[in-house]
Structure formats: structure tokens, C-alpha cells
Amino acid sequence: KRIGDVPERAILEQRIAQNADDLEARDLLAARLALAGDAEGALEQYLEILRRDRRYRDEAGRKGLLAVFELLGNSGALVNRYRSQMFNLLH
């Protein structure tokens, strides 16, 4: 999908508020947040996807986390904290 095709952030947040298991909304929101420079917000959504369904969209949660880690240079406190949480969920 192109970002122009993605619902607005408020709509995605409302979908999640109404249904915490709306993984599509979480995935789209994470992409929006990452593009807006909110890495921690994106990481939180990808981690929640991973928590709720490891296999969702061919491991979108894990792959999303790794992509944001890459954007952040694969280092730093934020990366270390979320990498540790990801590891704990996967093992």
C-alpha cells in the first residue's frame, strides 16, 4: 500500500481502541508512526502485533521491529530495550 492509501492516524487509533486485536490497524499505524519519526510508537505497535499473533502477515511484527531497529542504526537504548522484549517474546 502507498501511504496515501492508509487511513489517518486518528482513524487507526480509533480502530485499535474499539478492537485491540485489529492487527491490520496496528501494522498500518506502526508504518505511519515510523514515517512520522515516532520510532518508539512504531516499535510499540510492532511489539504488540508480535505479542498477539507471531505469524500475522508473515511475521509483520518481528520484521517491523527489525526494520525500525535498522532505521535507528541498530544501536542505542531504545533499540536495546525493544530488542530485549522481542527476544523474550520469541524465546
Side-chain angles (χ1 to χ4, degrees), residues 49-50 53-60:
I49 291 168
L50 191 60
D53 183 357
R54 282 175 64 166
R55 292 179 186 84
Y56 172 74
R57 275 197 52 234
D58 192 31
E59 296 187 70

Side-chain angles (χ1 to χ4, degrees), residues 15-23 26 48 52:
R15 279 177 53 185
I16 293 165
Q18 291 171 346
N19 176 10
D21 286 324
D22 187 341
L23 301 184
R26 287 187 183 281
E48 196 56 35
R52 290 172 184 274

Side-chain angles (χ1 to χ4, degrees), residues 71-89:
L71 283 173
L72 295 171
N74 281 312
S75 64
L78 193 61
V79 171
N80 293 340
R81 188 166 82 236
Y82 280 90
R83 185 175 278 133
S84 171
Q85 291 181 62
M86 180 181 82
F87 182 83
N88 289 336
L89 285 172

